[in-house]
Amino acid sequence: MEGDTIFRAARTLNRALAGRTVTRFDSVFSRLTRIDEDERIPGRTIERVDARGKHLLIWFSGDLVLRTHMRMHGSWHIYRPGERWQRPRADMRIVIGTSDYEAVAFSVPVAELTSARELERAEPMRVLGADILAEQFDAAEVVRRIEAMRDVEIGDALLDQSAVAGIGNIFKSESLFAARVNPFTRVGELSRADMARIVDAARRLMRASAIQRPAGASVYGRAGRPCRRCGTIISRRKQGEHARITYWCARCQAVSPKPGSGGGGQTHGRAE
Ligand SMILES: [Zn+2]
């Protein structure tokens, strides 16, 4: 799940729920229902719904925040009361009802209710890097945090949420293709300008996807098909300790030596 998907989900939930009073709260997570028993979520107003990195935050009046993380298979749906759910009841994790809509979280593996202060103080929020989709974005700080991971391959470093929050597998591949950088290059072999170009591409592509609509992929999911730019067959390989799949064009994203590192390796060929 990528930050742009969470961003769109948060926006949809915010439109349906912000300013409404909660009429019903239900969850299969006992740690949530226990807090609801003490703190009574029904009767509170939903102030807003927003996203930070891959975390979706629902803010209730009276300093209570519901943080959920979708991981791979979780999702939030919005229904009119009485409307038939599109996922089985057994997948339901959380229901937040209002007079006009009910929001249902399906298969969401991570959920906690907390105060704003605790949310900021605890992991994972405390260690979260800058949100790639945020209005205010400190690209130089993100580059510094990525730079610190010298021995990590750039395709893996982009997924580290403590360096930059919100990039997932799809936009990792897409932004490296856009920046013409090989995903298996170690961070220490990249120049600061390379990294700035990659971060810029990720932000540009993800904001376009979050604010407008998902664009067609250039490389992601296209293994075995021709590169849209040069016609070379797109490659696919597992990368990093979590074996996340990476897609790239071996020609457009040839390994290029850092300027001044004495050559070697393949040239940065550009074939039309
Ligand atoms: Zn290519």
Side-chain angles (χ1 to χ4, degrees):
M1 202 70 72
E2 313 258 337
D4 65 318
T5 310
I6 312 297
F7 185 95
R8 283 196 304 273
R11 193 177 45 186
T12 304
L13 287 169
N14 189 62
R15 280 189 191 134
L17 302 178
R20 313 273 173 174
T21 304
V22 180
T23 54
R24 175 187 172 210
F25 182 85
D26 195 9
S27 178
V28 299
F29 296 126
S30 58
R31 63 183 182 278
L32 298 190
T33 53
R34 266 203 304 275
I35 291 172
D36 179 41
E37 275 168 25
D38 294 341
E39 309 265 344
R40 298 304 298 151
I41 297 166
R44 292 178 190 250
T45 303
I46 299 158
E47 293 177 337
R48 67 183 186 280
V49 183
D50 53 25
R52 210 177 306 164
K54 302 187 196 178
H55 303 267
L56 189 136
L57 306 174
I58 301 179
W59 301 80
F60 300 100
S61 58
D63 192 21
L64 202 58
V65 190
L66 175 65
R67 174 180 73 86
T68 54
H69 193 296
M70 326 276 204
R71 298 260 184 256
M72 302 300 276
H73 304 294
S75 59
W76 277 95
H77 291 191
I78 286 282
Y79 296 104
R80 289 287 185 180
E83 193 181 340
R84 193 189 154 90
W85 292 356
Q86 290 169 27
R87 295 268 298 264
R89 190 153 287 270
D91 292 348
M92 182 280 270
R93 299 293 177 269
I94 304 164
V95 178
I96 300 170
T98 68
S99 56
D100 297 307
Y101 292 104
E102 61 183 6
V104 188
F106 294 101
S107 304
V108 164
V110 178
E112 70 165 348
L113 272 166
T114 177
S115 68
R117 186 188 160 99
E118 282 170 45
L119 178 79
E120 303 297 346
R121 279 211 304 210
E123 283 190 48
M125 288 302 162
R126 190 173 49 80
V127 297
L128 209 59
D131 185 337
I132 190 81
L133 291 170
E135 290 291 332
Q136 305 287 324
F137 180 74
D138 186 349
E141 172 61 18
V142 167
V143 167
R144 269 195 296 279
R145 289 190 184 199
I146 293 174
E147 225 170 13
M149 294 185 269
R150 291 191 57 80
D151 296 328
V152 180
E153 292 171 351
I154 185 66
D156 233 12
L158 290 178
L159 297 178
D160 189 320
Q161 302 296 304
S162 66
V164 55
I167 302 179
N169 229 20
I170 298 173
F171 285 99
K172 165 196 79 179
S173 291
E174 293 297 318
S175 48
L176 287 169
F177 177 77
R180 309 264 180 270
V181 172
N182 187 283
F184 300 92
T185 314
R186 290 191 191 279
V187 166
E189 292 160 27
L190 292 168
S191 68
R192 190 168 282 182
D194 288 334
M195 279 183 276
R197 212 169 66 246
I198 296 163
V199 170
D200 180 66
R203 180 164 164 81
R204 184 167 41 78
L205 292 169
M206 290 190 71
R207 275 181 70 91
S209 177
I211 291 157
Q212 296 142 23
R213 62 172 73 175
S218 288
V219 286
Y220 187 84
R222 298 193 66 251
R225 295 164 67 189
C227 172
R228 295 194 196 280
R229 196 170 156 273
C230 76
T232 300
I233 299 299
I234 297 296
S235 307
R236 166 196 148 118
R237 204 172 101 194
K238 288 179 181 166
Q239 181 172 26
E241 60 172 318
H242 300 294
R244 306 293 303 273
I245 291 172
T246 294
Y247 296 86
W248 79 105
C249 170
R251 191 164 192 175
C252 291
Q253 296 166 265
V255 177
S256 54
K258 199 173 182 173
S261 68
Q266 288 166 267
T267 54
H268 203 283
R270 208 180 233 234
E272 308 299 336

